[in-house]
Amino acid sequence: MHHFTMRGIAAALALVCSTLLATAPAHADIEKIKKSGKLVVAVYDDYAPFSTKDGGIDIDLAEALAKKLNLKLSLLPFPAGENVNDDLRNMVWKGHYLGFGPADVMLHVPVERSVMAQNDNVEIFAPYYRDTIQLARNIKAIPELRGAESLEGKRLGAEKVSISAMVLLGDANLRENVKIFPLPMQAVEKMKAGELDAVVGSRSEIESVLRNDPAFELTNAPFDRLPRQGWVIGMSVKKDNTDLAKLLQAAVNDLFASGEMAALFAKHGVKSVKP
């Protein structure tokens, strides 16, 4: 009986300890962050209009989040890896093999079930923008858009190695007049200069250059192969850092409710699209 009782006590203690160990990291992480007085935010390097050396939407969002949490911002720009799984490993839960990271939170993370399923070491949450593929056209060159046939014989532009380029080059009636650029913004600049009639690319990238110029119109691109719903971006923290996730989610909610999120996007010429 004595041995049974001792075993029961030992088992109970083990259960309590394991529970404490399982819940401690969340509180330990947030207390460590508060003690440091700064929020380390990972953002993609050279990814306009969201993050560049001159600023961007994600950089301003990072600043706003830090302010909501009464912390100073410490930016951690990083180059994109082979895929988002690499980025989440390097910047959220493990750290890069070169010695930097992980950050407290990473921005511009795809809020997709497939990404979540492949990354059980992180929490993906707080969607803050929905991007879509759009067609921007010079209204004088293309007064009306009645499907892809309206683009025949027109000078078209897109970014290399992109779904936009794929659909344009995949159309036998369009491909001869398609020009490919290293960056989508370069194609939009060429259109503004009168060297292209239309550009297919992401809404955020196009809007950041056009800045509501009335000479151009932005519409859904008339191609069935494009993802109509676009894609949603949010943020990520380590899986067990639930306290920080709750604070950041609340901060994002406040930014939407107050209109600060819309103003943040508008500063860079982009319309805020809440997922």
Side-chain angles (χ1 to χ4, degrees):
M1 185 68 178
H2 173 73
H3 293 295
F4 175 80
T5 303
M6 292 303 294
R7 283 199 300 269
I9 294 173
L13 287 173
L15 178 61
V16 170
C17 289
S18 64
T19 302
L20 289 173
L21 287 172
T23 57
H27 300 290
D29 283 348
I30 192 62
E31 290 305 321
K32 183 178 179 181
I33 291 169
K34 289 179 178 179
K35 188 174 181 180
S36 73
K38 63 183 181 181
L39 182 69
V40 182
V41 182
V43 296
Y44 282 104
D45 189 19
D46 196 21
Y47 187 30
F50 290 92
S51 51
T52 71
K53 63 180 180 180
D54 298 317
I57 295 168
D58 281 347
I59 292 176
D60 287 351
L61 175 57
E63 185 68 56
L65 293 173
K67 185 177 180 180
K68 290 286 185 182
L69 271 59
N70 295 313
L71 298 167
K72 292 183 178 180
L73 173 63
S74 177
L75 272 181
L76 183 55
F78 70 98
E82 289 293 324
N83 55 57
V84 70
N85 298 336
D86 291 343
D87 299 334
L88 289 169
R89 181 187 66 246
N90 294 336
M91 306 312 301
V92 178
W93 64 271
K94 186 175 183 180
H96 200 282
Y97 67 88
L98 291 178
F100 59 90
D104 298 319
V105 58
M106 173 181 160
L107 300 186
H108 219 93
V109 178
V111 183
E112 299 178 4
R113 290 182 180 178
S114 60
V115 177
M116 295 176 182
Q118 295 173 39
N119 294 275
D120 55 6
N121 288 308
V122 305
E123 183 72 23
I124 298 174
F125 64 103
Y128 60 88
Y129 183 64
R130 181 186 295 278
D131 214 340
T132 52
I133 299 295
Q134 299 279 293
L135 182 140
R137 74 182 197 278
N138 183 314
I139 297 175
K140 288 185 177 180
I142 310 174
E144 289 186 82
L145 186 65
R146 299 178 179 178
E149 59 269 20
S150 297
L151 304 176
E152 294 179 14
K154 303 300 182 181
R155 301 167 298 172
L156 310 174
E159 179 189 14
K160 67 177 182 180
V161 196
S162 68
I163 190 171
S164 303
M166 287 174 60
V167 296
L168 290 177
L169 295 173
D171 191 317
N173 297 318
L174 304 177
R175 66 169 66 106
E176 290 186 3
N177 296 312
V178 176
K179 292 185 177 180
I180 303 300
F181 297 83
L183 297 173
M185 284 77 78
Q186 295 171 335
V188 182
E189 291 288 2
K190 289 293 184 182
M191 183 176 65
K192 290 186 70 174
E195 298 178 34
L196 292 176
D197 300 316
V199 170
V200 178
S202 73
R203 171 187 288 275
S204 59
E205 292 166 327
I206 293 173
E207 286 184 339
S208 69
V209 178
L210 289 184
R211 300 265 175 172
N212 296 313
D213 190 324
F216 305 93
E217 185 168 274
L218 196 63
T219 57
N220 290 328
F223 302 102
D224 294 334
R225 295 170 61 190
L226 294 175
R228 291 296 177 192
Q229 297 302 313
W231 58 97
V232 174
I233 58 172
M235 57 192 71
S236 181
V237 299
K238 285 186 293 187
K239 189 71 174 181
D240 58 4
N241 205 348
T242 54
D243 286 352
L244 177 59
K246 289 177 183 178
L247 291 173
L248 290 170
Q249 180 67 70
V252 169
N253 294 344
D254 287 346
L255 290 171
F256 274 115
S258 67
E260 292 174 82
M261 188 71 81
L264 187 154
F265 274 82
K267 174 184 173 182
H268 299 277
V270 180
K271 180 181 179 181
S272 174
V273 181
K274 186 177 181 179

